[in-house]
Amino acid sequence: MDAMLPRMMEAAGVTEELKARDPMRWVGLMNTLKVQVEETIFQELIFQ
């Protein structure tokens, strides 16, 4: 998770600038990315 999340943040344009400019949007995007990463990890653990 620690390796995947920063790459996904970069790809989605989730930056510290966005965090300062629009914190609610940043939180929403971070929550979405975290769920996506967790889903990917669970899929790999369960189906591999």
Side-chain angles (χ1 to χ4, degrees):
M1 183 166 186
D2 292 335
M4 290 178 70
L5 192 56
R7 288 188 305 226
M8 291 182 74
M9 287 172 62
E10 184 178 337
V14 179
T15 63
E16 289 297 317
E17 178 186 333
L18 177 63
K19 184 178 180 181
R21 188 172 22 104
D22 192 353
M24 291 303 292
R25 183 162 185 249
W26 184 86
V27 168
L29 288 170
M30 285 300 293
N31 286 340
T32 300
L33 292 174
K34 183 178 177 198
V35 169
Q36 289 175 348
V37 169
E38 288 174 346
E39 182 71 22
T40 301
I41 291 169
F42 292 150
Q43 292 274 337
E44 289 178 7
L45 289 174
I46 292 170
F47 296 113
Q48 296 277 338

